[in-house]
């Protein structure tokens, strides 16, 4: 009889990625050439997918920046291609973050991710799959895989959801927060009792969110410690 033989493939592959994005630089960026800035990655919802980058300005930090709000971050707001999901675009997102960190003066101890709806799902996913990348996360009206919560135990989390959300039930955020805390994490959830799916307008208008994000940073790497 023909027997099956066990084999193992090991091969290096390369992948080309591309993604359109908006970039916001604070007014004071570059005035002090030694200063490094926190970086906020914003992931939009399903309705803003496509090839029209103007759609990304509909909600969240890009909307605030377009209105002239002064935000204390370098903000990167990519656009997910039509019919795709942030989970599918994970390689492009990480490549984008790496490129921005190489190009601009970014404090890599202070990289944050937030997103709404599809972007809230993407926030949970990205943080769980790259647990050492982000200093804190703020997923809004999203959800994820509670089995991945063990990957989030060292990531501060502040989630938001509308109690009356009929598109993504608030239970989805509650499951993730409970699972992260049960695994030893540091997660909290704000429920808006009268809100439907739009839990993001109130959240992104709240200065406490940005103060909370900035209060968290990753430990300095050995190379950074040696520079001091």
């Amino acid at each position: 009889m023909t027997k099956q033989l066990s084999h193992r493939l090991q091969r290096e592959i390369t992948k080309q990625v591309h993604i359109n994005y908006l970039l916001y630089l604070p007014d004071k960026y570059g005035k002090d050439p030694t200063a490094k800035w926190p970086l906020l990655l914003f992931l939009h919802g399903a309705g803003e997918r496509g090839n029209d980058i103007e759609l990304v300005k509909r909600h969240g930090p890009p909307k605030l920046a377009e209105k002239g709000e002064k935000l204390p971050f370098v903000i990167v707001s990519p656009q997910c291609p039509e019919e795709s999901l942030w989970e599918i675009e994970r390689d492009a997102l990480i490549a984008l973050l790496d490129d921005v960190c190489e190009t601009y003066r970014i404090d890599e101890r202070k990289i944050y991710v937030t997103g709404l709806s599809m972007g809230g799902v993407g926030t949970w996913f990205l943080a769980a799959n790259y647990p050492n990348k982000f200093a804190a996360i703020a997923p809004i009206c999203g959800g994820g895989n509670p089995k991945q919560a063990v990957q989030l135990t060292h990531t501060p989390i502040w989630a938001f959801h509308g109690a009356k959300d009929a598109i993504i039930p608030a239970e989805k955020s509650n499951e993730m927060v409970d699972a992260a805390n049960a695994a030893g994490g540091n997660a909290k959830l704000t429920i808006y009792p009268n809100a439907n799916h739009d839990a993001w307008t109130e959240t992104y208008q709240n200065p406490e969110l940005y103060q909370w994000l900035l209060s968290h940073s990753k430990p300095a790497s050995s190379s950074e410690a040696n520079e001091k």
Side-chain angles (χ1 to χ4, degrees):
M1 294 179 63
T2 301
K3 294 184 177 180
Q4 297 182 79
L5 301 177
S6 176
H7 294 272
R8 177 180 178 84
L9 170 67
Q10 182 171 333
R11 174 178 293 185
E12 183 175 330
I13 64 172
T14 59
K15 177 181 179 180
Q16 186 176 71
V17 296
H18 55 86
I19 195 163
N20 297 324
Y21 65 97
L22 297 171
L23 179 72
Y24 168 85
L25 297 176
D27 287 344
K28 294 183 179 179
Y29 179 88
K31 292 185 177 180
D32 178 355
T34 66
K36 292 188 175 183
W37 289 81
L39 172 62
L40 179 63
L41 174 65
F42 169 71
L43 304 179
H44 63 69
E48 290 73 62
R49 290 178 293 186
N51 294 311
D52 181 1
I53 196 66
E54 294 297 311
L55 295 176
V56 180
K57 300 176 182 178
R58 282 180 174 175
H59 305 296
K63 179 181 180 179
L64 298 176
E66 193 70 8
K67 290 168 58 179
E69 296 277 350
K70 307 300 182 185
L71 298 166
F73 309 85
V74 170
I75 303 174
V76 179
S77 304
Q79 184 174 38
C80 187
E82 194 71 45
E83 306 300 332
S84 189
L85 298 169
W86 289 123
E87 299 93 304
I88 297 172
E89 302 301 322
R90 57 186 281 181
D91 292 339
L93 293 175
I94 295 303
L96 173 59
L97 288 178
D98 290 344
D99 186 72
V100 171
C101 287
E102 292 169 5
T103 307
Y104 298 90
R105 294 195 58 81
I106 303 299
D107 183 348
E108 296 191 36
R109 299 171 303 161
K110 289 180 172 289
I111 299 177
Y112 312 100
V113 59
T114 183
L116 60 92
S117 192
M118 183 186 84
V121 174
T123 296
W124 285 113
F125 176 86
L126 205 61
N129 283 272
Y130 298 90
N132 298 317
K133 193 75 174 176
F134 303 102
I137 69 171
I140 302 173
C141 57
N145 181 358
K147 293 181 179 179
Q148 291 187 318
V150 67
Q151 303 294 331
L152 298 167
T153 55
H154 300 295
T155 303
I157 300 163
W158 190 359
F160 301 83
H161 222 117
K164 299 179 180 179
D165 194 332
I167 297 176
I168 301 178
E171 184 60 27
K172 295 296 184 181
S173 285
N174 195 56
E175 287 174 354
M176 292 300 293
V177 167
D178 285 350
N181 286 331
N186 175 20
K188 62 180 180 178
L189 173 62
T190 293
I191 296 287
Y192 301 116
N194 298 316
N196 295 301
H197 192 48
D198 181 2
W200 55 83
T201 299
E202 183 171 353
T203 298
Y204 287 127
Q205 289 178 343
N206 184 358
E208 291 184 15
L209 169 64
Y210 308 108
Q211 295 166 5
W212 178 84
L213 288 171
L214 291 170
S215 72
H216 297 286
S217 62
K218 297 183 298 180
S221 65
S222 56
S223 60
E224 289 173 326
N226 290 334
E227 291 176 0
K228 296 181 178 179

